[in-house]
Amino acid sequence: MDRLNWGAVQDGPGSGTFIQWTAAFIVLLVSAAVLRFVFGNKDEKQVPSYTVAQPAQCEAGWEGDVLEKPQLKVPGSSAIQCYSPATGRSLSTVNPASAAAVDRAVKRAAEAQREWAKTSFAQRRRVLRTLLKFILENQEAISTGACLDSGKTRIDSSFGEILVTVEKLKWTILHGERALKAERRPTNFLMSYKINEVRWEPLGVVAACVSWNYPFHNLLGPVISAIFAGNGIVVKGSEATAWSSSYFADIACSALKACGHSPHLVQSVVCWPSVAPSLTSHPGISHLTFIGSRPVAHAVAASAAKSLTPVCVELGGKDAAVILDDVADISKVASILMRGVFQSAGQNCIGIERVIACAGIYDRLVAILEPRVGELRVGSALDDEAVDVGAMISGHSFDRLERLVADAVAGGARCLAGGRRYHHPRHPNGHYFSPTLLVDVTPEMRVAQEEAFAPIMTVMRATDVSDAIRMANSTAYGLGASVFGRDAASLERVVSGSRTGMVSVNDFAVYYAVQLPFGGVGGSGYGRFAAEEGLRALCNTKAVCRDRFPGLLSTAIPRPLDYPIADGNRAWDFCQGIVELGYGESLRRRVAGLGRLVRGG
């Protein structure tokens, strides 16, 4: 998923950015000191080290055979052909899981979960700290694996794979227990002798079906939340990134093993779509997280309904970035927009798909963006010296993307850069689409309505703030949004008026960097993962009500209401007295209610 734009700001010291970065550095130093105090040297010494065999493909100098026609399906075989979308080089073949294998995975996770559910939060934190340490020490290997299997650049792997994963780990380590700790709830007058409590207890085994665009983060993210909540988990990665799934899952399993727990708690399966229902409808699964497309989501939800399994659905979006006329530094905003659109070749569920600029700033913004988009360099980050935009996962969408661009141009839009597939001279078997800039796009155009999931920047002109909000809400999607400007009232109008699950103000997708609840509305799905809401969604929410003074004061059925009822009229009058005493809107009515109780008691 995601996700960040921290590499987009490129201003020099004279612009004020130097002061911002200096302040940020001081904040980081203070934060480090606080974290050291929180964890302490004792905790750091308790974190074990472990190793995971690095795939040979991640070693320096590796070169695989270039496939003549790169595709996942192997003629005459059920195996999955794994290859690098940036070069077309074969990574390996993977035998997909059968329905029986999926069933065995669920059972193994369930067996391990029975013991894991008994662990303390301190034990679970130790596993996460161990995992965090490993990731920080093995960033290059993880990045290489993600780049090979998904075609992204090193920078995109750092922000979208590693940084967001360690952020999720650190947040869960620091705040997870508070989110899942039993919580006292208020009582009322009639029940004042009771104590009310809500608990969040493990569900058992949960599952996640995740997309290919962030193979490391999308796999590890559900694992982190699931195991901290006391669950086992079965993760089904995409067949498009089947090669890296086993390596990344082994990283999580080995952290469990290093801390003395069963590695079977985390199960990774890869299968063809025809086998997926054996997981999504499995009666042993207590919760399902799905990250993918809308058409597949319908099938997944229908399958999960067979076993009444609750589902959290994240389906991508058509996120808009609204640029108000009073933006202070349009060049800085342009840098953020470039990162928001072209990160991971636009294959980003919360990537910016539409730039909606108000009339007063529109022409200046286009003038800045046109040369920058035209200068973007496409290629393989592991093979080429200077690369801005990596490969797409496959070429299956290229015909559709070219039609979207052509339809827009036919309708009056201008294509100032790109607009077609790119035949790379060094990697002719890679999957590349030219970074594209479409301007003068209008809401009724298909490119403004359909999720492109590609390196296509569409720029739209709004007459004013109201028109910008209308345009932003004109699609079926509602995942995230951004707004840039200075006037607080106008910014708030866009925030409040956006029909989305998340909004960033003067930034892009930063809600993901601070673990706020992640999810959307409408065609972007339902449910939330991340933050307290995401952790609690993976739990059985249990309400507990007990006596405040056990042995001294407890519930007793009043004689008029005790079965068998001796006098129905008297019992009814007594019931009215209870209601009036407990909930009367005035002292007079409460006194009247007390009188009914005295008379009928």
Side-chain angles (χ1 to χ4, degrees), residues 343-497:
Q343 177 167 308
S344 291
Q347 301 165 118
N348 186 352
C349 60
I350 52 172
I352 296 173
E353 291 247 346
R354 296 172 296 155
V355 177
I356 302 174
C358 288
I361 201 75
Y362 184 91
D363 291 332
R364 288 174 55 202
L365 178 61
V366 170
I368 293 172
L369 292 173
E370 182 177 1
R372 295 192 62 177
V373 175
E375 292 169 1
L376 291 175
R377 297 156 296 184
V378 177
S380 169
L382 302 181
D383 301 281
D384 305 327
E385 290 186 4
V387 173
D388 299 304
V389 180
M392 295 189 67
I393 195 67
S394 78
H396 294 316
S397 65
F398 288 174
D399 288 343
R400 180 182 69 89
L401 295 174
E402 288 177 345
R403 284 195 300 270
L404 288 178
V405 174
D407 289 347
V409 171
R414 291 180 293 145
C415 183
L416 303 182
R420 61 182 64 88
R421 69 194 74 194
Y422 177 69
H423 299 283
H424 201 289
R426 291 193 60 196
H427 313 294
N429 292 347
H431 305 309
Y432 295 98
F433 197 86
S434 299
T436 299
L437 176 61
L438 269 176
V439 303
D440 300 343
V441 174
T442 55
E444 69 276 3
M445 294 176 180
R446 287 178 54 206
V447 75
Q449 294 295 317
E450 299 179 17
E451 184 179 30
F453 222 59
I456 298 177
M457 176 181 278
T458 61
V459 186
M460 309 169 71
R461 186 193 302 266
T463 56
D464 53 25
V465 177
S466 296
D467 191 39
I469 295 172
R470 179 188 63 79
M471 285 185 176
N473 291 333
S474 65
T475 75
Y477 296 96
L479 188 58
S482 302
V483 57
F484 297 83
R486 283 184 292 179
D487 180 65
S490 296
L491 291 171
E492 181 56 32
R493 281 183 62 192
V494 177
V495 171
S496 300

Side-chain angles (χ1 to χ4, degrees), residues 47-306:
V47 175
S49 297
Y50 67 95
T51 59
V52 175
Q54 181 175 294
Q57 295 88 333
C58 292
E59 300 289 346
W62 174 84
E63 289 189 10
D65 295 331
V66 177
L67 301 172
E68 184 177 349
K69 293 183 178 180
Q71 58 182 1
L72 296 177
K73 291 188 176 181
V74 179
S77 171
S78 64
I80 300 171
Q81 172 64 66
C82 304
Y83 67 92
S84 171
T87 62
R89 289 180 182 142
S90 173
L91 294 171
S92 71
T93 56
V94 171
N95 290 322
S98 63
V102 170
D103 184 61
R104 289 193 296 271
V106 174
K107 289 178 179 177
R108 281 195 295 267
E111 184 177 354
Q113 190 272 338
R114 283 190 281 273
E115 288 301 315
W116 178 253
K118 303 173 186 176
T119 58
S120 64
F121 285 122
Q123 290 174 299
R124 298 173 195 175
R125 274 194 299 270
R126 184 168 183 257
V127 172
L128 297 192
R129 287 195 184 105
T130 302
L131 179 57
L132 173 62
K133 179 182 177 183
F134 179 91
I135 294 173
L136 293 174
E137 293 175 349
N138 293 273
Q139 294 183 61
E140 187 165 350
I142 292 169
S143 169
T144 300
C147 291
L148 280 172
D149 217 7
S150 67
K152 59 171 52 71
T153 67
R154 284 282 193 197
I155 293 174
D156 291 344
S157 73
S158 180
F159 285 143
E161 304 277 14
I162 296 170
L163 185 147
V164 290
T165 301
V166 296
E167 157 59 24
K168 189 178 187 76
L169 280 166
K170 187 58 71 73
W171 184 93
T172 308
I173 290 167
L174 292 176
H175 308 292
E177 181 176 357
R178 177 178 55 80
L180 298 182
K181 207 167 185 179
E183 191 175 273
R184 290 285 288 272
R185 294 293 176 86
T187 186
N188 58 47
F189 175 72
L190 293 178
M191 303 296 289
S192 58
Y193 64 100
K194 296 288 186 179
I195 294 175
N196 306 321
E197 180 182 83
V198 177
R199 299 178 181 180
W200 288 274
E201 299 179 348
L203 282 174
V205 177
V206 300
C209 299
V210 299
S211 56
W212 43 260
N213 54 336
Y214 291 92
F216 179 70
H217 177 68
N218 285 357
L219 190 148
L220 266 290
V223 168
I224 293 166
S225 296
I227 66 175
F228 192 81
N231 299 310
I233 184 170
V234 180
V235 183
K236 190 197 88 63
S238 168
E239 58 271 22
T241 50
W243 170 74
S244 61
S245 291
S246 59
Y247 172 45
F248 295 153
D250 197 21
I251 291 173
C253 294
S254 297
L256 285 161
K257 187 175 181 180
C259 294
H261 306 288
S262 172
H264 297 313
L265 187 70
V266 175
Q267 298 287 317
S268 173
V269 298
V270 176
C271 62
W272 290 113
S274 59
V275 177
S278 62
L279 175 64
T280 55
S281 64
H282 198 291
I285 297 299
S286 300
H287 182 278
L288 175 64
T289 299
F290 174 76
I291 302 172
S293 68
R294 291 177 67 185
V296 178
H298 287 291
V300 169
S303 176
K306 294 177 182 178

Side-chain angles (χ1 to χ4, degrees), residues 584-595:
E585 83 288 4
S586 64
L587 179 60
R588 180 178 179 181
R589 190 179 297 278
R590 291 196 171 201
V591 171
L594 179 61

Side-chain angles (χ1 to χ4, degrees), residues 572-585:
W572 168 242
D573 193 60
F574 195 87
C575 287
Q576 291 183 84
I578 293 175
V579 172
E580 291 176 348
L581 176 62
Y583 303 99
E585 83 288 4

